[in-house]
Each structure stands twice: as C-alpha cells, then as structure tokens.
Amino acid sequence: MTPDDARSVAGADDGGAMAGLVVAKWLRLAATPSFSIMALLTVALDSSQPNALCLTAGSLQFGGMAPMYLLMAIFHSMPWLNLVSRRPTLLSITDQGAAA
C-alpha cells in the first residue's frame, strides 16, 4: 500500500496516512509471537490429554488447534525474517571499526 492509497482509504492527511503505514508495518510483527504463544498455551492447557508436555511417540496427535497455530506462525514469519536479514552482521561492524 502506498501513502496515496492509504490516504484515499482513510481520508487522512499526509501525516495520518504515514502514521497508519508505520503502525501497519509494526503490527505485522505481532502475528508470529501471538500465534506461537497461542500454540504453546493450547498444548499446555489442553485437558483432553493426560500430560501434554510428556507425550509418548504413539500418542502424538497432529489434529487440533496447536498445529494450526504453529502453521500460522510459520506463514506469518516473513516480516521477522526480513527484519533479521537487514540487521548488520557482527563481522561487518568489526570490519568498519577496524577500517576507521
């Protein structure tokens, strides 16, 4: 979405449209941790299994909400991967410090 698109949808001025884009950019980062926490809570608080943390290989079930939440977390992880890939690496920081 460009600032012009955001302005036409929201009917806001330039500052409001840009603020909306900034909020939307950071809101994308909330999906993966939220879905991961929901998956952990679903497994930990599920009362249908005797002990969800100590499952044997034979009783592992791939149905239910926890696998769905994990898949949703994986599918929404792209903003995190983009953010991590843009971080400067430690090697490049030390190379710049040595050159100065």
Side-chain angles (χ1 to χ4, degrees):
M1 177 181 280
T2 65
D4 292 330
D5 295 337
R7 191 179 317 108
S8 65
V9 170
D13 58 354
D14 287 340
M18 290 307 293
L21 289 173
V22 170
V23 169
K25 177 183 174 184
W26 288 105
L27 190 59
R28 294 183 312 174
L29 295 173
T32 298
S34 299
F35 290 131
S36 300
I37 290 169
M38 290 166 61
L40 288 173
L41 288 176
T42 300
V43 170
L45 301 177
D46 188 13
S47 61
S48 67
Q49 297 175 354
N51 189 353
L53 298 177
C54 298
L55 293 173
T56 61
S59 65
L60 184 61
Q61 297 178 359
F62 290 107
M65 296 300 288
M68 182 198 66
Y69 289 141
L70 287 174
L71 283 173
M72 290 171 66
I74 291 168
F75 290 141
H76 287 88
S77 64
M78 188 56 69
W80 281 101
L81 296 174
N82 288 336
L83 184 67
V84 169
S85 69
R86 283 190 229 138
R87 283 183 34 203
T89 62
L90 183 61
L91 183 62
S92 67
I93 291 172
T94 57
D95 289 343
Q96 290 174 358

